[in-house]
Amino acid sequence: MKLDIKAILDILPHRYPMLLVDRAEIVEPGKRITGHKCVTINEPFFVGHYPGEPIMPGVMIVEAGAQCGALLFLSQEEHKGKIPLIGGIDHIKFRRPVRPGDVLMFDVELDWMRGPVGKCHGVATVDGQPVCSFEMSFKLESKEQAPSE
Protein backbone atom coordinates (compact mmCIF):
# COMPACT_ATOMS: atom_id res chain seq x y z
CA MET A 1 0.00 0.00 0.00
CA LYS A 2 1.51 3.32 -1.10
CA LEU A 3 0.89 6.40 1.05
CA ASP A 4 1.11 9.84 -0.54
CA ILE A 5 1.12 13.03 1.53
CA LYS A 6 -2.71 13.19 1.61
CA ALA A 7 -2.91 9.67 3.05
CA ILE A 8 -0.12 10.46 5.53
CA LEU A 9 -1.99 13.56 6.74
CA ASP A 10 -5.11 11.42 7.19
CA ILE A 11 -3.19 8.89 9.33
CA LEU A 12 -0.61 10.82 11.38
CA PRO A 13 -1.54 13.48 13.94
CA HIS A 14 1.68 15.44 13.15
CA ARG A 15 1.56 18.75 11.27
CA TYR A 16 4.08 21.35 10.09
CA PRO A 17 6.76 21.83 11.25
CA MET A 18 6.82 18.36 12.86
CA LEU A 19 5.55 16.24 9.95
CA LEU A 20 8.73 14.62 8.61
CA VAL A 21 7.52 11.95 6.16
CA ASP A 22 6.67 12.86 2.55
CA ARG A 23 5.64 9.43 1.26
CA ALA A 24 5.70 5.82 2.33
CA GLU A 25 4.93 2.29 1.25
CA ILE A 26 3.71 -0.39 3.59
CA VAL A 27 5.71 -3.39 2.46
CA GLU A 28 4.09 -5.86 4.88
CA PRO A 29 0.98 -4.61 6.73
CA GLY A 30 1.62 -4.47 10.47
CA LYS A 31 5.22 -5.60 9.95
CA ARG A 32 7.37 -3.41 7.66
CA ILE A 33 7.30 0.04 6.02
CA THR A 34 9.60 2.14 3.87
CA GLY A 35 9.35 5.92 4.07
CA HIS A 36 10.88 8.94 2.41
CA LYS A 37 11.80 12.40 3.65
CA CYS A 38 12.97 14.94 1.07
CA VAL A 39 15.29 17.23 3.02
CA THR A 40 15.19 20.87 1.90
CA ILE A 41 16.95 24.03 3.05
CA ASN A 42 13.48 25.35 3.99
CA GLU A 43 13.30 23.12 7.08
CA PRO A 44 12.98 25.38 10.15
CA PHE A 45 15.80 23.63 12.05
CA PHE A 46 18.41 24.65 9.45
CA VAL A 47 18.18 28.28 10.61
CA GLY A 48 20.29 27.43 13.64
CA HIS A 49 21.83 24.02 12.84
CA TYR A 50 24.30 25.27 11.63
CA PRO A 51 24.46 28.69 9.91
CA GLY A 52 26.65 28.26 6.84
CA GLU A 53 26.91 24.48 7.36
CA PRO A 54 23.34 23.06 7.37
CA ILE A 55 23.13 19.59 8.92
CA MET A 56 19.86 17.86 9.85
CA PRO A 57 19.78 17.30 13.63
CA GLY A 58 20.04 13.64 14.59
CA VAL A 59 16.95 13.90 16.77
CA MET A 60 14.94 14.95 13.69
CA ILE A 61 16.24 11.96 11.71
CA VAL A 62 15.12 9.66 14.52
CA GLU A 63 11.74 11.45 14.73
CA ALA A 64 11.22 10.90 10.99
CA GLY A 65 11.95 7.20 11.50
CA ALA A 66 9.51 7.09 14.42
CA GLN A 67 6.84 8.69 12.22
CA CYS A 68 7.38 5.97 9.62
CA GLY A 69 6.83 3.39 12.34
CA ALA A 70 3.72 5.26 13.50
CA LEU A 71 2.35 5.14 9.95
CA LEU A 72 2.80 1.38 9.93
CA PHE A 73 0.64 0.93 13.02
CA LEU A 74 -1.85 3.79 12.70
CA SER A 75 -2.77 2.66 9.17
CA GLN A 76 -4.34 -0.47 10.69
CA GLU A 77 -8.05 -0.22 11.42
CA GLU A 78 -7.70 -1.22 15.10
CA HIS A 79 -5.19 1.60 15.74
CA LYS A 80 -6.76 4.45 13.72
CA GLY A 81 -6.85 7.75 15.60
CA LYS A 82 -4.41 6.74 18.33
CA ILE A 83 -1.48 8.85 19.49
CA PRO A 84 2.00 7.27 19.07
CA LEU A 85 4.41 7.84 21.97
CA ILE A 86 8.10 6.95 22.03
CA GLY A 87 8.98 4.85 25.07
CA GLY A 88 12.72 4.51 24.49
CA ILE A 89 15.43 4.60 21.86
CA ASP A 90 18.29 2.11 22.01
CA HIS A 91 21.41 1.23 20.03
CA ILE A 92 21.27 4.42 17.98
CA LYS A 93 24.16 5.06 15.62
CA PHE A 94 24.77 8.01 13.31
CA ARG A 95 27.11 7.33 10.42
CA ARG A 96 27.12 10.50 8.30
CA PRO A 97 25.48 13.95 8.19
CA VAL A 98 22.23 14.59 6.33
CA ARG A 99 22.15 17.84 4.33
CA PRO A 100 19.64 19.79 2.25
CA GLY A 101 19.05 18.00 -1.05
CA ASP A 102 19.33 14.53 0.48
CA VAL A 103 16.44 12.08 0.30
CA LEU A 104 16.25 10.08 3.51
CA MET A 105 14.91 6.57 3.01
CA PHE A 106 13.70 4.65 6.05
CA ASP A 107 13.14 0.94 6.45
CA VAL A 108 11.30 0.28 9.73
CA GLU A 109 10.29 -3.18 10.90
CA LEU A 110 8.21 -4.36 13.85
CA ASP A 111 10.03 -6.66 16.27
CA TRP A 112 7.05 -7.34 18.55
CA MET A 113 3.80 -5.85 19.76
CA ARG A 114 1.70 -6.79 22.80
CA GLY A 115 -1.49 -4.78 23.08
CA PRO A 116 -0.64 -1.10 22.62
CA VAL A 117 3.11 -1.52 23.39
CA GLY A 118 5.78 -2.64 20.95
CA LYS A 119 9.32 -2.43 19.71
CA CYS A 120 10.67 -1.79 16.22
CA HIS A 121 14.01 -1.19 14.58
CA GLY A 122 14.93 0.98 11.64
CA VAL A 123 17.66 2.06 9.27
CA ALA A 124 17.87 5.39 7.44
CA THR A 125 19.91 5.69 4.25
CA VAL A 126 20.82 8.38 1.72
CA ASP A 127 21.81 7.18 -1.75
CA GLY A 128 22.03 3.63 -0.38
CA GLN A 129 24.53 4.63 2.32
CA PRO A 130 23.60 4.12 6.00
CA VAL A 131 22.95 7.35 7.89
CA CYS A 132 21.33 6.17 11.11
CA SER A 133 20.12 2.97 12.75
CA PHE A 134 18.00 2.59 15.89
CA GLU A 135 15.73 0.42 18.00
CA MET A 136 12.66 2.04 19.49
CA SER A 137 9.95 1.06 21.95
CA PHE A 138 6.58 2.76 21.68
CA LYS A 139 3.05 2.90 22.98
CA LEU A 140 -0.15 3.70 21.12
CA GLU A 141 -2.62 5.60 23.30
CA SER A 142 -6.17 6.71 22.68
CA LYS A 143 -6.59 10.48 22.52
CA GLU A 144 -8.37 10.41 25.89
CA GLN A 145 -5.31 8.75 27.54
CA ALA A 146 -2.62 10.88 25.89
CA PRO A 147 -0.84 13.37 28.17
CA SER A 148 -2.14 16.91 27.79
CA GLU A 149 0.06 19.99 27.48
Side-chain angles (χ1 to χ4, degrees):
M1 171 168 66
K2 292 184 189 267
L3 304 173
D4 63 12
I5 193 63
K6 279 187 69 177
I8 290 168
L9 287 167
D10 287 342
I11 296 169
L12 287 182
H14 306 77
R15 293 297 179 263
Y16 178 85
M18 284 305 298
L19 182 62
L20 298 173
V21 182
D22 297 315
R23 63 187 163 102
E25 181 176 356
I26 296 176
V27 178
E28 296 176 62
K31 184 68 179 157
R32 186 167 165 248
I33 190 169
T34 60
H36 301 84
K37 165 69 179 152
C38 299
V39 182
T40 73
I41 193 63
N42 297 321
E43 310 287 348
F45 46 77
F46 284 132
V47 172
H49 202 266
Y50 300 100
E53 189 62 38
I55 296 172
M56 185 174 185
V59 68
M60 301 306 278
I61 297 168
V62 174
E63 173 65 22
Q67 289 180 22
C68 287
L71 277 169
L72 179 62
F73 309 115
L74 298 180
S75 64
Q76 298 175 37
E77 194 60 42
E78 66 268 25
H79 300 304
K80 281 193 188 300
K82 296 206 175 154
I83 302 294
L85 302 173
I86 295 173
I89 304 169
D90 298 309
H91 306 290
I92 189 165
K93 292 199 186 322
F94 295 99
R95 291 177 166 61
R96 78 173 211 41
V98 175
R99 302 180 189 282
D102 287 343
V103 176
L104 270 168
M105 300 202 47
F106 293 91
D107 188 9
V108 180
E109 190 169 339
L110 177 67
D111 294 326
W112 57 264
M113 190 160 182
R114 291 180 195 93
V117 177
K119 188 168 187 179
C120 61
H121 66 276
V123 175
T125 60
V126 171
D127 295 329
Q129 299 300 310
V131 168
C132 175
S133 59
F134 58 88
E135 293 178 6
M136 185 176 301
S137 60
F138 62 90
K139 182 176 184 183
L140 302 178
E141 287 196 350
S142 65
K143 289 184 181 178
E144 302 82 45
Q145 294 175 315
S148 59
E149 294 180 31

